[in-house]
Amino acid sequence: QKEVEQNSGPLSVPEGAIASLNCTYSDRGSQSFFWYRQYSGKSPELIMSIYSNGDKEDGRFTAQLNKASQYVSLLIRDSQPSDSATYLCAVYRGGADGLTFGKGTHLIIQP
Amino acid sequence: DTAVSQTPKYLVTQMGNDKSIKCEQNLGHDTMYWYKQDSKKFLKIMFSYNNKELIINETVPNRFSPKSPDKAHLNLHINSLELGDSAVYFCASSQDFTAGGHEKLFFGSGTQLSVL
């Protein structure tokens, strides 16, 4: 059974601090891992993808992957109020199954 | 120009009715999808459609049926609507569902379906 687990939050972080979002997945055959951001009433948008163990940085965002622990995380440095959104972790196993999403973590950046 | 467009944005209807949601993508992508997001914001795949190959999530009731007149369109038909069908339905597309081209899903703006 493919499952992606996230703490639903809300996670409250002061402006300028580091926000840390976590995700675990159950399917060891998973190949690719993604973080999507969804603002209230809007559609999800891709912000990070990661395929191999380690860290991947893009601007203020860092994705971390540990396949042995089946764990993915997203760090947001210098958090801004505009980062307040729901962050969806998604996992792809391969083939035509599409992405399996977690339930999302609601992040609130406090000014 | 909107990459993935779906209509209508809002759909309010009575139980038992049949309704359709349309989706079009102008990105030249090979694969299109329908996702359902329930009230708890859980986003779950319903169908993927690639080069006339339909992959169905086994949990989707057969009242739901995708129709693809061509590669750029994937419509969703729902028969005998039930209260539990109320949700936001997202259409999405990607270049190719094989690894390497799948990573970026482009989502439509969503259709808020309310069944009364």
Side-chain angles (χ1 to χ4, degrees), chain A residues 44-111:
Chain A
E45 58 177 330
L46 179 69
I47 54 172
M48 288 290 287
S49 58
I50 188 166
Y51 307 102
S52 55
N53 283 329
D55 295 359
K56 179 181 178 182
E57 186 175 321
D58 183 1
R60 295 187 297 113
F61 299 97
T62 299
Q64 299 174 317
L65 174 61
N66 183 327
K67 288 188 176 181
S69 300
Q70 296 175 246
Y71 177 88
V72 192
S73 65
L74 178 70
L75 300 178
I76 307 174
R77 290 181 300 281
D78 189 24
S79 298
Q80 303 296 311
S82 60
D83 294 327
S84 298
T86 296
Y87 289 80
L88 303 168
C89 176
V91 170
Y92 175 59
R93 186 184 181 188
D97 289 349
L99 295 183
T100 300
F101 284 85
K103 293 186 178 182
T105 297
H106 183 204
L107 176 66
I108 299 172
I109 306 301
Q110 295 179 323

Side-chain angles (χ1 to χ4, degrees), chain B residues 5-13 18-24 32-36 46 64-69 73-79 81 85-92 108-115:
Chain B
S5 59
Q6 56 181 108
T7 56
K9 187 169 178 63
Y10 300 98
L11 184 54
V12 181
T13 187
D18 303 336
K19 290 294 179 184
S20 295
I21 306 172
K22 295 184 178 180
C23 179
E24 175 182 4
M32 296 184 72
Y33 310 82
W34 278 105
Y35 280 84
K36 177 181 179 182
M46 302 176 70
F64 291 79
S65 58
K67 306 287 185 187
S68 181
H73 296 83
L74 184 65
N75 303 323
L76 182 65
H77 296 269
I78 315 169
N79 295 324
L81 278 156
D85 297 333
S86 296
V88 179
Y89 292 83
F90 286 101
C91 177
S109 58
T111 296
Q112 173 76 62
L113 171 64
S114 299
V115 182

